[in-house]
Amino acid sequence: MKLVRYGKAGEEKPGLIDDEGNLRDLSKKVKDITGDTLDAKTLKMLRELNPKKLKKVEGKQRFGPCVGNIGKFLCIGLNYSDHAAETGAAIPEHPILFFKANSAVQGANDPVYLPRNSKKGDWEVELGVVIGRKCKYVTKEKALNYVAGYCVVNDVSEREFQTELTGQWTKGKSCDTFGPTGPWLVTKDEVKDPQSLDMWLDVNGKRMQTGSTKTMIFTVAEIIEHLSQLMTLHPGDVISTGTPPGVGLGMKPKPVFLKEGDVMELGIEGLGQQKQKVRRDK
């Protein structure tokens, strides 16, 4: 099941994508797609609906973030062995954790704005994991039982802010518009193995990232286990699980960074695609 939030920013309505690719309205069934509607009972109710009896939404629609009112946006750094190699970083002993501000979250195809002083904007296609049940002190064997679904995330980064300003990585990860999420949330029953998904990202039509979740250092289950020992995960929390090689920072012979007018296109097998035009904040 593919769940979406469509409409103007801040006024999104809940919907689903049927088997023919049509957008169907869910407003009479749920108020929104949030942590409050990702419990097993509600998802079962939605799954049992006959999409053809739901109102078909005509015309081209904007898709907002596929999860509304995200509680925590947790991100895992250097979680692909081939990405760590391209940056010359050591393989971490434990998952590297940083947060992305909720104010960075936006729709999958909304423009990305580089901050006024940005010089080193970068791209990162990532698998997003959406929590569906309150989760604390779980084991990796049971961790996936707490997942509502998966989505595409572009962990847009500003490398100077991230590594050259005194402080934490969060500075370079939390700029406004740096968290395109969606276009839809694919429920976990449609993702047989989150550790076997191909992923890619193009900039201006040129393939920059080609990878697979197979090369994750820490699996989705291991990440959830680790985080749940540190804090309670709640329904609607999103975990962005790291990126494969091909980021601008790792380009040889010298890094390549985003500039105004660039277009990023990215996707993950079975989870949909995103497209963002890069603009500069005034």
Side-chain angles (χ1 to χ4, degrees), residues 8 34 70 75 121:
K8 295 180 180 180
T34 68
I70 291 174
C75 302

Side-chain angles (χ1 to χ4, degrees), residues 9-222:
E11 301 177 9
E12 291 92 347
K13 297 179 180 180
L16 63 77
I17 305 297
D18 67 20
D19 291 340
E20 286 75 44
N22 299 307
L23 172 60
R24 302 282 180 171
D25 182 67
L26 284 175
S27 297
K28 293 185 178 181
K29 303 298 180 180
V30 292
K31 292 182 179 181
D32 200 350
I33 306 299
T34 68
D36 293 334
T37 52
L38 294 178
D39 60 279
K41 183 179 179 179
T42 302
L43 291 180
K44 182 176 183 293
M45 178 272 290
L46 295 177
R47 196 176 293 113
E48 292 175 348
L49 295 173
N50 181 350
K52 292 184 179 179
K53 293 184 178 181
L54 299 171
K55 179 183 176 182
K56 182 179 177 181
V57 182
E58 303 289 352
K60 186 176 181 180
Q61 298 290 328
R62 169 190 174 269
F63 288 155
C66 60
V67 182
N69 299 326
I70 291 174
K72 296 188 287 293
F73 202 129
L74 305 110
C75 302
I76 307 300
L78 292 175
N79 193 36
Y80 282 68
S81 56
D82 36 9
H83 173 52
E86 77 169 339
T87 60
I91 299 296
E93 183 179 356
H94 305 288
I96 294 173
L97 173 66
F98 61 90
F99 284 77
K100 188 179 284 283
N102 292 3
S103 55
V105 179
Q106 65 166 12
N109 302 313
D110 294 342
V112 165
Y113 285 85
L114 299 175
R116 290 180 180 177
N117 300 317
S118 172
K119 299 177 183 177
K120 299 181 179 180
D122 206 346
W123 54 84
E124 295 188 15
V125 58
E126 304 200 1
L127 172 66
V129 179
V130 182
I131 299 297
R133 293 170 53 195
K134 186 177 179 181
C135 177
K136 188 173 184 179
Y137 300 136
V138 303
T139 64
K140 63 182 179 182
E141 289 77 16
K142 296 182 179 180
L144 297 186
N145 295 334
Y146 294 81
V147 174
Y150 303 90
C151 63
V152 182
V153 171
N154 188 355
D155 176 20
V156 184
S157 309
E158 212 302 331
R159 302 302 188 187
E160 183 178 15
F161 294 4
Q162 178 185 351
T163 63
E164 299 175 43
L165 295 183
T166 302
Q168 299 178 339
W169 285 11
T170 300
K171 289 184 177 181
K173 299 287 189 171
S174 291
C175 306
D176 295 348
T177 75
F178 274 25
T181 304
W184 37 71
L185 168 64
V186 179
T187 51
K188 67 177 180 181
D189 57 293
E190 293 195 9
V191 180
K192 293 182 179 180
D193 183 3
Q195 302 309 144
S196 184
L197 301 175
D198 293 333
M199 52 207 309
W200 57 272
L201 183 145
D202 296 345
V203 177
N204 300 328
K206 180 180 179 181
R207 182 59 46 90
M208 307 301 274
Q209 289 188 274
T210 302
S212 169
T213 56
K214 292 178 181 178
T215 67
M216 278 187 182
I217 298 167
F218 303 102
T219 66
V220 171
E222 289 169 338

